[in-house]
Amino acid sequence: MRLEYGGTFDLGSSYAGFISGIHIERSNNFKAINVEAFNFNRAGINIATSEDYTDYCHNPKVINCNFHHNRVAGILFGNTDHLEITGCKLEYNGLDTDNGTGYGCAGWSSKLPKNTFIHHNFASYNYRKGIDFHAGEHGIIDHNICVGNKYYGIFVDGNVFNEMGDWI
């Protein structure tokens, strides 16, 4: 499946856009397989980040997808439990003139992803970070290739609101 957004990409501030290729809330066992999503002013796929919901998405899977040239991130996720991101290409997300966004995949800071598995992905040339966690409870990040991201290939750091738990 190929999803392309043809609307306004840069709305000024880093997080001004609200249009994602796929947006999932309050859903269990969701799978995105072989999806390409690009040019969205939010994310290629957005999972459980709404400020209105505290419900978790359990067991979402993102497999062999290609999320590129999206304004905020290829994959943006929040209240997920057992999220698995495998075999994806996460490239050129963000805007070169904005240092505030541009993630291959990112755990949303005001939410708490739990038991996250990110493996065998190619997260490269994003305008901020390849793989990013400012929140999250337990996870495994392994066998990813991160090349040419502006700040970090992989960034895992707790903030004052969220406990990070154990990470491998």
Side-chain angles (χ1 to χ4, degrees):
M1 175 188 305
R2 185 173 191 238
L3 305 169
E4 179 180 7
Y5 180 64
T8 304
F9 184 78
D10 183 11
L11 298 171
S13 66
S14 296
Y15 292 92
F18 292 102
I19 308 299
S20 294
I22 299 171
H23 189 113
I24 302 298
E25 297 289 342
R26 300 181 292 183
S27 177
N28 295 326
N29 303 309
F30 170 81
K31 291 182 183 176
I33 302 171
N34 298 322
V35 174
E36 178 184 18
F38 58 100
N39 291 338
F40 288 90
N41 64 24
R42 188 63 160 188
I45 186 168
N46 194 331
I47 306 171
T49 63
S50 177
E51 296 302 321
D52 298 335
Y53 305 121
T54 58
D55 295 336
Y56 272 77
C57 286
H58 296 276
N59 303 309
K61 308 275 189 257
V62 182
I63 302 167
N64 297 331
C65 293
N66 184 2
F67 299 119
H68 59 93
H69 295 95
N70 297 292
R71 179 64 171 90
V72 176
I75 303 171
L76 192 59
F77 57 93
N79 283 342
T80 58
D81 189 7
H82 286 92
L83 167 66
E84 181 179 335
I85 300 170
T86 303
C88 294
K89 290 182 182 177
L90 310 167
E91 302 177 290
Y92 298 99
N93 293 291
L95 181 65
D96 61 355
T97 58
D98 177 19
N99 293 326
T101 58
Y103 306 97
C105 67
W108 194 244
S109 296
S110 62
K111 301 295 181 182
L112 187 60
K114 299 188 283 188
N115 306 307
T116 306
F117 304 97
I118 299 176
H119 46 111
H120 300 284
N121 300 289
F122 188 75
S124 297
Y125 303 104
N126 296 288
Y127 291 109
R128 191 160 173 80
K129 301 171 188 171
I131 298 169
D132 179 62
F133 280 90
H134 285 279
E137 192 175 277
H138 311 294
I140 298 173
I141 301 170
D142 70 348
H143 293 91
N144 297 283
I145 297 172
C146 300
V147 176
N149 297 289
K150 191 170 185 177
Y151 293 119
Y152 299 101
I154 299 172
F155 184 88
V156 178
D157 185 20
N159 62 33
V160 295
F161 302 109
N162 294 307
E163 186 67 35
M164 290 304 287
D166 298 321
W167 282 84
I168 298 172

